[in-house]
PDB file of all heavy atoms in Angstrom:
ATOM      1  N   LEU A 103       8.989   5.162  -0.400  1.00  0.00           N
ATOM      2  CA  LEU A 103      10.388   4.730  -0.460  1.00  0.00           C
ATOM      3  C   LEU A 103      10.736   4.147  -1.828  1.00  0.00           C
ATOM      4  O   LEU A 103      11.897   4.069  -2.198  1.00  0.00           O
ATOM      5  CB  LEU A 103      10.695   3.700   0.638  1.00  0.00           C
ATOM      6  CG  LEU A 103      10.726   4.211   2.076  1.00  0.00           C
ATOM      7  CD1 LEU A 103      11.317   3.165   3.002  1.00  0.00           C
ATOM      8  CD2 LEU A 103      11.488   5.518   2.202  1.00  0.00           C
ATOM      9  N   GLN A 104       9.702   3.740  -2.603  1.00  0.00           N
ATOM     10  CA  GLN A 104       9.944   3.254  -3.961  1.00  0.00           C
ATOM     11  C   GLN A 104      10.514   4.349  -4.845  1.00  0.00           C
ATOM     12  O   GLN A 104      11.021   4.079  -5.914  1.00  0.00           O
ATOM     13  CB  GLN A 104       8.632   2.809  -4.632  1.00  0.00           C
ATOM     14  CG  GLN A 104       8.071   1.510  -4.156  1.00  0.00           C
ATOM     15  CD  GLN A 104       7.041   1.738  -3.082  1.00  0.00           C
ATOM     16  OE1 GLN A 104       7.190   2.617  -2.227  1.00  0.00           O
ATOM     17  NE2 GLN A 104       5.989   0.954  -3.079  1.00  0.00           N
ATOM     18  N   VAL A 125       3.111   3.686   5.621  1.00  0.00           N
ATOM     19  CA  VAL A 125       3.078   2.219   5.700  1.00  0.00           C
ATOM     20  C   VAL A 125       2.527   1.857   7.073  1.00  0.00           C
ATOM     21  O   VAL A 125       2.943   2.426   8.084  1.00  0.00           O
ATOM     22  CB  VAL A 125       4.484   1.625   5.475  1.00  0.00           C
ATOM     23  CG1 VAL A 125       4.522   0.150   5.822  1.00  0.00           C
ATOM     24  CG2 VAL A 125       4.913   1.842   4.008  1.00  0.00           C
ATOM     25  N   VAL A 174      -0.217  -5.886   6.080  1.00  0.00           N
ATOM     26  CA  VAL A 174       0.592  -4.675   5.947  1.00  0.00           C
ATOM     27  C   VAL A 174       0.039  -3.846   4.794  1.00  0.00           C
ATOM     28  O   VAL A 174      -0.352  -4.392   3.756  1.00  0.00           O
ATOM     29  CB  VAL A 174       2.089  -5.017   5.711  1.00  0.00           C
ATOM     30  CG1 VAL A 174       2.928  -3.741   5.690  1.00  0.00           C
ATOM     31  CG2 VAL A 174       2.609  -5.967   6.777  1.00  0.00           C
ATOM     32  N   LEU A 175      -0.029  -2.529   5.008  1.00  0.00           N
ATOM     33  CA  LEU A 175      -0.632  -1.631   4.016  1.00  0.00           C
ATOM     34  C   LEU A 175       0.352  -0.553   3.600  1.00  0.00           C
ATOM     35  O   LEU A 175       1.177  -0.115   4.403  1.00  0.00           O
ATOM     36  CB  LEU A 175      -1.826  -0.888   4.638  1.00  0.00           C
ATOM     37  CG  LEU A 175      -2.855  -1.672   5.423  1.00  0.00           C
ATOM     38  CD1 LEU A 175      -3.855  -0.696   6.038  1.00  0.00           C
ATOM     39  CD2 LEU A 175      -3.559  -2.657   4.504  1.00  0.00           C
ATOM     40  N   LYS A 176       0.227  -0.150   2.353  1.00  0.00           N
ATOM     41  CA  LYS A 176       0.909   1.073   1.921  1.00  0.00           C
ATOM     42  C   LYS A 176      -0.183   1.998   1.410  1.00  0.00           C
ATOM     43  O   LYS A 176      -0.870   1.674   0.436  1.00  0.00           O
ATOM     44  CB  LYS A 176       1.906   0.753   0.829  1.00  0.00           C
ATOM     45  CG  LYS A 176       2.608   1.979   0.317  1.00  0.00           C
ATOM     46  CD  LYS A 176       4.068   1.722   0.079  1.00  0.00           C
ATOM     47  CE  LYS A 176       4.828   3.022   0.145  1.00  0.00           C
ATOM     48  NZ  LYS A 176       6.239   2.818   0.373  1.00  0.00           N
ATOM     49  N   HIS A 266      -2.000  -0.207  -1.311  1.00  0.00           N
ATOM     50  CA  HIS A 266      -1.519  -1.578  -1.465  1.00  0.00           C
ATOM     51  C   HIS A 266      -1.869  -2.333  -0.183  1.00  0.00           C
ATOM     52  O   HIS A 266      -1.663  -1.796   0.915  1.00  0.00           O
ATOM     53  CB  HIS A 266       0.008  -1.601  -1.544  1.00  0.00           C
ATOM     54  CG  HIS A 266       0.594  -1.374  -2.897  1.00  0.00           C
ATOM     55  ND1 HIS A 266      -0.086  -1.512  -4.066  1.00  0.00           N
ATOM     56  CD2 HIS A 266       1.874  -1.057  -3.245  1.00  0.00           C
ATOM     57  CE1 HIS A 266       0.743  -1.288  -5.081  1.00  0.00           C
ATOM     58  NE2 HIS A 266       1.934  -0.993  -4.615  1.00  0.00           N
ATOM     59  N   VAL A 267      -2.345  -3.551  -0.317  1.00  0.00           N
ATOM     60  CA  VAL A 267      -2.677  -4.384   0.842  1.00  0.00           C
ATOM     61  C   VAL A 267      -2.010  -5.742   0.660  1.00  0.00           C
ATOM     62  O   VAL A 267      -2.112  -6.329  -0.414  1.00  0.00           O
ATOM     63  CB  VAL A 267      -4.206  -4.605   0.928  1.00  0.00           C
ATOM     64  CG1 VAL A 267      -4.560  -5.490   2.112  1.00  0.00           C
ATOM     65  CG2 VAL A 267      -4.951  -3.279   1.016  1.00  0.00           C
ATOM     66  N   THR A 268      -1.321  -6.227   1.686  1.00  0.00           N
ATOM     67  CA  THR A 268      -0.827  -7.603   1.599  1.00  0.00           C
ATOM     68  C   THR A 268      -1.132  -8.332   2.900  1.00  0.00           C
ATOM     69  O   THR A 268      -1.069  -7.740   3.985  1.00  0.00           O
ATOM     70  CB  THR A 268       0.675  -7.652   1.224  1.00  0.00           C
ATOM     71  OG1 THR A 268       1.038  -9.008   0.969  1.00  0.00           O
ATOM     72  CG2 THR A 268       1.590  -7.088   2.300  1.00  0.00           C
ATOM     73  N   TRP A 277      -1.729 -10.429  -2.503  1.00  0.00           N
ATOM     74  CA  TRP A 277      -1.417  -9.035  -2.867  1.00  0.00           C
ATOM     75  C   TRP A 277      -2.617  -8.391  -3.527  1.00  0.00           C
ATOM     76  O   TRP A 277      -3.104  -8.875  -4.552  1.00  0.00           O
ATOM     77  CB  TRP A 277      -0.205  -9.001  -3.803  1.00  0.00           C
ATOM     78  CG  TRP A 277       0.980  -9.666  -3.197  1.00  0.00           C
ATOM     79  CD1 TRP A 277       1.274 -11.002  -3.221  1.00  0.00           C
ATOM     80  CD2 TRP A 277       1.995  -9.054  -2.406  1.00  0.00           C
ATOM     81  NE1 TRP A 277       2.431 -11.250  -2.501  1.00  0.00           N
ATOM     82  CE2 TRP A 277       2.888 -10.072  -1.989  1.00  0.00           C
ATOM     83  CE3 TRP A 277       2.239  -7.732  -2.010  1.00  0.00           C
ATOM     84  CZ2 TRP A 277       4.002  -9.808  -1.198  1.00  0.00           C
ATOM     85  CZ3 TRP A 277       3.356  -7.475  -1.227  1.00  0.00           C
ATOM     86  CH2 TRP A 277       4.226  -8.498  -0.823  1.00  0.00           C
ATOM     87  N   GLY A 278      -3.094  -7.291  -2.942  1.00  0.00           N
ATOM     88  CA  GLY A 278      -4.232  -6.591  -3.530  1.00  0.00           C
ATOM     89  C   GLY A 278      -3.902  -5.119  -3.631  1.00  0.00           C
ATOM     90  O   GLY A 278      -3.153  -4.586  -2.796  1.00  0.00           O
ATOM     91  N   THR A 279      -4.456  -4.469  -4.642  1.00  0.00           N
ATOM     92  CA  THR A 279      -4.147  -3.050  -4.772  1.00  0.00           C
ATOM     93  C   THR A 279      -5.357  -2.281  -5.273  1.00  0.00           C
ATOM     94  O   THR A 279      -6.122  -2.774  -6.093  1.00  0.00           O
ATOM     95  CB  THR A 279      -2.884  -2.852  -5.643  1.00  0.00           C
ATOM     96  OG1 THR A 279      -2.422  -1.522  -5.457  1.00  0.00           O
ATOM     97  CG2 THR A 279      -3.133  -3.130  -7.122  1.00  0.00           C
ATOM     98  N   VAL A 327       0.478  -7.250 -12.406  1.00  0.00           N
ATOM     99  CA  VAL A 327      -0.490  -6.640 -11.482  1.00  0.00           C
ATOM    100  C   VAL A 327       0.154  -5.389 -10.902  1.00  0.00           C
ATOM    101  O   VAL A 327       1.164  -5.470 -10.202  1.00  0.00           O
ATOM    102  CB  VAL A 327      -0.874  -7.622 -10.346  1.00  0.00           C
ATOM    103  CG1 VAL A 327      -1.777  -6.940  -9.328  1.00  0.00           C
ATOM    104  CG2 VAL A 327      -1.564  -8.850 -10.921  1.00  0.00           C
ATOM    105  N   ILE A 328      -0.433  -4.240 -11.207  1.00  0.00           N
ATOM    106  CA  ILE A 328       0.204  -2.986 -10.786  1.00  0.00           C
ATOM    107  C   ILE A 328      -0.818  -2.021 -10.211  1.00  0.00           C
ATOM    108  O   ILE A 328      -2.014  -2.149 -10.442  1.00  0.00           O
ATOM    109  CB  ILE A 328       0.895  -2.269 -11.964  1.00  0.00           C
ATOM    110  CG1 ILE A 328      -0.143  -1.568 -12.881  1.00  0.00           C
ATOM    111  CG2 ILE A 328       1.736  -3.229 -12.783  1.00  0.00           C
ATOM    112  CD1 ILE A 328       0.383  -0.320 -13.530  1.00  0.00           C
ATOM    113  N   ASN A 329      -0.301  -1.047  -9.488  1.00  0.00           N
ATOM    114  CA  ASN A 329      -1.102   0.106  -9.113  1.00  0.00           C
ATOM    115  C   ASN A 329      -0.536   1.295  -9.885  1.00  0.00           C
ATOM    116  O   ASN A 329       0.637   1.636  -9.722  1.00  0.00           O
ATOM    117  CB  ASN A 329      -1.011   0.374  -7.607  1.00  0.00           C
ATOM    118  CG  ASN A 329      -2.001   1.432  -7.170  1.00  0.00           C
ATOM    119  OD1 ASN A 329      -2.091   2.487  -7.785  1.00  0.00           O
ATOM    120  ND2 ASN A 329      -2.756   1.137  -6.124  1.00  0.00           N
ATOM    121  N   GLU A 333       3.415   2.039  -9.439  1.00  0.00           N
ATOM    122  CA  GLU A 333       4.361   1.300 -10.288  1.00  0.00           C
ATOM    123  C   GLU A 333       4.478   1.785 -11.722  1.00  0.00           C
ATOM    124  O   GLU A 333       5.440   1.460 -12.406  1.00  0.00           O
ATOM    125  CB  GLU A 333       4.027  -0.200 -10.282  1.00  0.00           C
ATOM    126  CG  GLU A 333       4.445  -0.920  -9.019  1.00  0.00           C
ATOM    127  CD  GLU A 333       3.410  -0.815  -7.908  1.00  0.00           C
ATOM    128  OE1 GLU A 333       2.206  -0.974  -8.194  1.00  0.00           O
ATOM    129  OE2 GLU A 333       3.801  -0.548  -6.768  1.00  0.00           O
ATOM    130  N   PHE A 336       7.850   3.273 -13.038  1.00  0.00           N
ATOM    131  CA  PHE A 336       9.087   2.507 -13.250  1.00  0.00           C
ATOM    132  C   PHE A 336       9.225   2.120 -14.722  1.00  0.00           C
ATOM    133  O   PHE A 336       8.228   1.807 -15.374  1.00  0.00           O
ATOM    134  CB  PHE A 336       9.059   1.191 -12.449  1.00  0.00           C
ATOM    135  CG  PHE A 336       8.970   1.373 -10.969  1.00  0.00           C
ATOM    136  CD1 PHE A 336       8.076   0.602 -10.226  1.00  0.00           C
ATOM    137  CD2 PHE A 336       9.777   2.286 -10.303  1.00  0.00           C
ATOM    138  CE1 PHE A 336       7.983   0.754  -8.848  1.00  0.00           C
ATOM    139  CE2 PHE A 336       9.688   2.437  -8.928  1.00  0.00           C
ATOM    140  CZ  PHE A 336       8.790   1.670  -8.200  1.00  0.00           C
ATOM    141  N   SER A 342       4.876  -5.063 -14.244  1.00  0.00           N
ATOM    142  CA  SER A 342       5.391  -5.570 -12.966  1.00  0.00           C
ATOM    143  C   SER A 342       4.338  -6.381 -12.234  1.00  0.00           C
ATOM    144  O   SER A 342       3.161  -6.398 -12.604  1.00  0.00           O
ATOM    145  CB  SER A 342       5.897  -4.410 -12.101  1.00  0.00           C
ATOM    146  OG  SER A 342       4.821  -3.569 -11.713  1.00  0.00           O
ATOM    147  N   ASN A 343       4.779  -7.074 -11.205  1.00  0.00           N
ATOM    148  CA  ASN A 343       3.897  -7.932 -10.397  1.00  0.00           C
ATOM    149  C   ASN A 343       4.373  -7.804  -8.954  1.00  0.00           C
ATOM    150  O   ASN A 343       5.569  -7.931  -8.676  1.00  0.00           O
ATOM    151  CB  ASN A 343       4.003  -9.375 -10.904  1.00  0.00           C
ATOM    152  CG  ASN A 343       3.272 -10.379 -10.025  1.00  0.00           C
ATOM    153  OD1 ASN A 343       3.590 -10.543  -8.834  1.00  0.00           O
ATOM    154  ND2 ASN A 343       2.310 -11.073 -10.595  1.00  0.00           N
ATOM    155  N   CYS A 344       3.438  -7.540  -8.058  1.00  0.00           N
ATOM    156  CA  CYS A 344       3.750  -7.301  -6.647  1.00  0.00           C
ATOM    157  C   CYS A 344       4.658  -8.399  -6.080  1.00  0.00           C
ATOM    158  O   CYS A 344       5.702  -8.132  -5.489  1.00  0.00           O
ATOM    159  CB  CYS A 344       2.483  -7.287  -5.792  1.00  0.00           C
ATOM    160  SG  CYS A 344       1.020  -6.606  -6.570  1.00  0.00           S
ATOM    161  N   CYS A 347       8.374  -8.748  -7.398  1.00  0.00           N
ATOM    162  CA  CYS A 347       9.311  -7.756  -6.875  1.00  0.00           C
ATOM    163  C   CYS A 347       9.538  -7.962  -5.380  1.00  0.00           C
ATOM    164  O   CYS A 347      10.666  -7.898  -4.906  1.00  0.00           O
ATOM    165  CB  CYS A 347       8.806  -6.342  -7.145  1.00  0.00           C
ATOM    166  SG  CYS A 347       9.920  -5.069  -6.514  1.00  0.00           S
ATOM    167  N   HIS A 348       8.464  -8.232  -4.639  1.00  0.00           N
ATOM    168  CA  HIS A 348       8.628  -8.374  -3.190  1.00  0.00           C
ATOM    169  C   HIS A 348       9.419  -9.626  -2.811  1.00  0.00           C
ATOM    170  O   HIS A 348      10.035  -9.669  -1.753  1.00  0.00           O
ATOM    171  CB  HIS A 348       7.265  -8.324  -2.497  1.00  0.00           C
ATOM    172  CG  HIS A 348       6.807  -6.905  -2.273  1.00  0.00           C
ATOM    173  ND1 HIS A 348       6.966  -6.255  -1.076  1.00  0.00           N
ATOM    174  CD2 HIS A 348       6.239  -6.005  -3.111  1.00  0.00           C
ATOM    175  CE1 HIS A 348       6.504  -5.015  -1.171  1.00  0.00           C
ATOM    176  NE2 HIS A 348       6.052  -4.831  -2.401  1.00  0.00           N
ATOM    177  N   PHE A 358      15.415  -2.873  -5.808  1.00  0.00           N
ATOM    178  CA  PHE A 358      14.212  -3.586  -6.250  1.00  0.00           C
ATOM    179  C   PHE A 358      14.035  -3.457  -7.760  1.00  0.00           C
ATOM    180  O   PHE A 358      13.163  -4.079  -8.344  1.00  0.00           O
ATOM    181  CB  PHE A 358      12.976  -3.055  -5.521  1.00  0.00           C
ATOM    182  CG  PHE A 358      12.842  -1.556  -5.567  1.00  0.00           C
ATOM    183  CD1 PHE A 358      12.183  -0.945  -6.615  1.00  0.00           C
ATOM    184  CD2 PHE A 358      13.381  -0.768  -4.567  1.00  0.00           C
ATOM    185  CE1 PHE A 358      12.060   0.444  -6.663  1.00  0.00           C
ATOM    186  CE2 PHE A 358      13.265   0.620  -4.608  1.00  0.00           C
ATOM    187  CZ  PHE A 358      12.610   1.223  -5.651  1.00  0.00           C
ATOM    188  N   LEU A 359      14.848  -2.641  -8.382  1.00  0.00           N
ATOM    189  CA  LEU A 359      14.801  -2.483  -9.840  1.00  0.00           C
ATOM    190  C   LEU A 359      15.966  -3.247 -10.458  1.00  0.00           C
ATOM    191  O   LEU A 359      16.957  -3.484  -9.779  1.00  0.00           O
ATOM    192  CB  LEU A 359      14.861  -0.997 -10.212  1.00  0.00           C
ATOM    193  CG  LEU A 359      13.627  -0.182  -9.812  1.00  0.00           C
ATOM    194  CD1 LEU A 359      13.849   1.294 -10.114  1.00  0.00           C
ATOM    195  CD2 LEU A 359      12.380  -0.687 -10.518  1.00  0.00           C
ATOM    196  N   ILE A 361      12.566  -3.963 -13.114  1.00  0.00           N
ATOM    197  CA  ILE A 361      11.375  -4.805 -13.089  1.00  0.00           C
ATOM    198  C   ILE A 361      11.701  -6.139 -13.752  1.00  0.00           C
ATOM    199  O   ILE A 361      12.299  -6.185 -14.817  1.00  0.00           O
ATOM    200  CB  ILE A 361      10.216  -4.128 -13.876  1.00  0.00           C
ATOM    201  CG1 ILE A 361       9.853  -2.776 -13.268  1.00  0.00           C
ATOM    202  CG2 ILE A 361       9.007  -5.060 -13.992  1.00  0.00           C
ATOM    203  CD1 ILE A 361       9.237  -2.826 -11.894  1.00  0.00           C
ATOM    204  N   LEU A 382       8.785  -8.593   2.619  1.00  0.00           N
ATOM    205  CA  LEU A 382       8.554  -7.198   2.992  1.00  0.00           C
ATOM    206  C   LEU A 382       9.798  -6.341   2.734  1.00  0.00           C
ATOM    207  O   LEU A 382      10.843  -6.572   3.327  1.00  0.00           O
ATOM    208  CB  LEU A 382       8.125  -7.092   4.457  1.00  0.00           C
ATOM    209  CG  LEU A 382       6.766  -7.715   4.783  1.00  0.00           C
ATOM    210  CD1 LEU A 382       6.345  -7.360   6.203  1.00  0.00           C
ATOM    211  CD2 LEU A 382       5.679  -7.281   3.799  1.00  0.00           C
ATOM    212  N   TRP A 383       9.652  -5.349   1.865  1.00  0.00           N
ATOM    213  CA  TRP A 383      10.758  -4.428   1.589  1.00  0.00           C
ATOM    214  C   TRP A 383      11.014  -3.507   2.770  1.00  0.00           C
ATOM    215  O   TRP A 383      12.118  -3.014   2.969  1.00  0.00           O
ATOM    216  CB  TRP A 383      10.445  -3.600   0.339  1.00  0.00           C
ATOM    217  CG  TRP A 383      10.748  -4.310  -0.938  1.00  0.00           C
ATOM    218  CD1 TRP A 383       9.856  -4.830  -1.835  1.00  0.00           C
ATOM    219  CD2 TRP A 383      12.053  -4.583  -1.481  1.00  0.00           C
ATOM    220  NE1 TRP A 383      10.514  -5.403  -2.891  1.00  0.00           N
ATOM    221  CE2 TRP A 383      11.858  -5.268  -2.705  1.00  0.00           C
ATOM    222  CE3 TRP A 383      13.359  -4.320  -1.047  1.00  0.00           C
ATOM    223  CZ2 TRP A 383      12.937  -5.683  -3.501  1.00  0.00           C
ATOM    224  CZ3 TRP A 383      14.419  -4.740  -1.844  1.00  0.00           C
ATOM    225  CH2 TRP A 383      14.203  -5.413  -3.051  1.00  0.00           C
ATOM    226  N   SER A 384       9.965  -3.211   3.549  1.00  0.00           N
ATOM    227  CA  SER A 384      10.154  -2.264   4.646  1.00  0.00           C
ATOM    228  C   SER A 384      11.217  -2.764   5.624  1.00  0.00           C
ATOM    229  O   SER A 384      11.957  -1.956   6.190  1.00  0.00           O
ATOM    230  CB  SER A 384       8.835  -2.005   5.381  1.00  0.00           C
ATOM    231  OG  SER A 384       8.250  -3.207   5.787  1.00  0.00           O
ATOM    232  N   MET A 387      14.615  -1.870   4.219  1.00  0.00           N
ATOM    233  CA  MET A 387      14.753  -0.437   3.964  1.00  0.00           C
ATOM    234  C   MET A 387      14.659   0.410   5.229  1.00  0.00           C
ATOM    235  O   MET A 387      15.114   1.548   5.248  1.00  0.00           O
ATOM    236  CB  MET A 387      13.722   0.026   2.938  1.00  0.00           C
ATOM    237  CG  MET A 387      13.983  -0.580   1.560  1.00  0.00           C
ATOM    238  SD  MET A 387      12.735  -0.139   0.325  1.00  0.00           S
ATOM    239  CE  MET A 387      13.547   1.176  -0.540  1.00  0.00           C
ATOM    240  N   ARG A 388      14.027  -0.141   6.268  1.00  0.00           N
ATOM    241  CA  ARG A 388      13.803   0.672   7.463  1.00  0.00           C
ATOM    242  C   ARG A 388      14.532   0.170   8.721  1.00  0.00           C
ATOM    243  O   ARG A 388      14.465   0.833   9.757  1.00  0.00           O
ATOM    244  CB  ARG A 388      12.299   0.748   7.762  1.00  0.00           C
ATOM    245  CG  ARG A 388      11.521   1.474   6.671  1.00  0.00           C
ATOM    246  CD  ARG A 388      10.035   1.450   6.974  1.00  0.00           C
ATOM    247  NE  ARG A 388       9.245   1.846   5.841  1.00  0.00           N
ATOM    248  CZ  ARG A 388       8.769   3.088   5.627  1.00  0.00           C
ATOM    249  NH1 ARG A 388       8.987   4.046   6.488  1.00  0.00           N
ATOM    250  NH2 ARG A 388       8.049   3.357   4.552  1.00  0.00           N
TER     251      ARG A 388
HETATM  252  C1  HEC B 401       9.483  -3.104  -8.400  1.00  0.00           C
HETATM  253  C2  HEC B 401       9.251  -3.489  -7.065  1.00  0.00           C
HETATM  254  C3  HEC B 401       7.888  -3.433  -6.449  1.00  0.00           C
HETATM  255  C4  HEC B 401       6.682  -3.768  -7.012  1.00  0.00           C
HETATM  256  C5  HEC B 401       6.390  -4.219  -8.427  1.00  0.00           C
HETATM  257  C6  HEC B 401       5.701  -3.630  -5.957  1.00  0.00           C
HETATM  258  N1  HEC B 401       6.294  -3.210  -4.808  1.00  0.00           N
HETATM  259 FE1  HEC B 401       5.408  -2.981  -3.024  1.00  0.00          FE
HETATM  260  N2  HEC B 401       7.073  -2.101  -2.306  1.00  0.00           N
HETATM  261  C7  HEC B 401       8.277  -2.007  -2.964  1.00  0.00           C
HETATM  262  C8  HEC B 401       9.189  -1.208  -2.184  1.00  0.00           C
HETATM  263  C9  HEC B 401      10.617  -0.874  -2.552  1.00  0.00           C
HETATM  264  C10 HEC B 401       8.480  -0.816  -1.029  1.00  0.00           C
HETATM  265  C11 HEC B 401       8.958   0.142   0.066  1.00  0.00           C
HETATM  266  C12 HEC B 401       8.962  -0.386   1.436  1.00  0.00           C
HETATM  267  C13 HEC B 401       8.599   0.687   2.456  1.00  0.00           C
HETATM  268  O1  HEC B 401       7.960   1.669   2.135  1.00  0.00           O
HETATM  269  O2  HEC B 401       8.992   0.497   3.604  1.00  0.00           O
HETATM  270  C14 HEC B 401       7.164  -1.433  -1.122  1.00  0.00           C
HETATM  271  C15 HEC B 401       6.183  -1.369  -0.137  1.00  0.00           C
HETATM  272  C16 HEC B 401       5.027  -2.105  -0.159  1.00  0.00           C
HETATM  273  C17 HEC B 401       4.198  -2.341   0.994  1.00  0.00           C
HETATM  274  C18 HEC B 401       4.516  -1.902   2.404  1.00  0.00           C
HETATM  275  C19 HEC B 401       5.152  -3.020   3.216  1.00  0.00           C
HETATM  276  C20 HEC B 401       6.486  -3.608   2.831  1.00  0.00           C
HETATM  277  O3  HEC B 401       7.220  -3.853   3.737  1.00  0.00           O
HETATM  278  O4  HEC B 401       6.823  -3.921   1.695  1.00  0.00           O
HETATM  279  C21 HEC B 401       3.145  -3.093   0.567  1.00  0.00           C
HETATM  280  C22 HEC B 401       1.977  -3.607   1.391  1.00  0.00           C
HETATM  281  C23 HEC B 401       3.318  -3.299  -0.854  1.00  0.00           C
HETATM  282  N3  HEC B 401       4.491  -2.704  -1.264  1.00  0.00           N
HETATM  283  C24 HEC B 401       2.430  -3.982  -1.665  1.00  0.00           C
HETATM  284  C25 HEC B 401       2.577  -4.073  -3.043  1.00  0.00           C
HETATM  285  C26 HEC B 401       1.542  -4.513  -3.945  1.00  0.00           C
HETATM  286  C27 HEC B 401       0.158  -4.953  -3.546  1.00  0.00           C
HETATM  287  C28 HEC B 401       2.082  -4.463  -5.205  1.00  0.00           C
HETATM  288  C29 HEC B 401       1.443  -4.822  -6.519  1.00  0.00           C
HETATM  289  C30 HEC B 401       0.282  -4.117  -6.935  1.00  0.00           C
HETATM  290  C31 HEC B 401       3.456  -4.008  -5.068  1.00  0.00           C
HETATM  291  N4  HEC B 401       3.715  -3.773  -3.752  1.00  0.00           N
HETATM  292  C32 HEC B 401       4.355  -3.885  -6.128  1.00  0.00           C
HETATM  293  C33 HEC B 401       8.582  -2.578  -4.172  1.00  0.00           C
HETATM  294  C34 HEC B 401       7.629  -3.059  -5.062  1.00  0.00           C
END
Side-chain angles (χ1 to χ4, degrees):
L103 290 192
Q104 286 95 322
V125 169
V174 185
L175 313 175
K176 178 139 204 161
H266 275 341
V267 179
T268 188
W277 303 85
T279 195
V327 175
I328 76 149
N329 189 312
E333 284 85 44
F336 298 135
S342 66
N343 172 299
C344 325
C347 180
H348 277 262
F358 51 88
L359 292 175
I361 300 293
L382 294 189
W383 278 108
S384 53
M387 293 177 99
R388 295 177 193 264

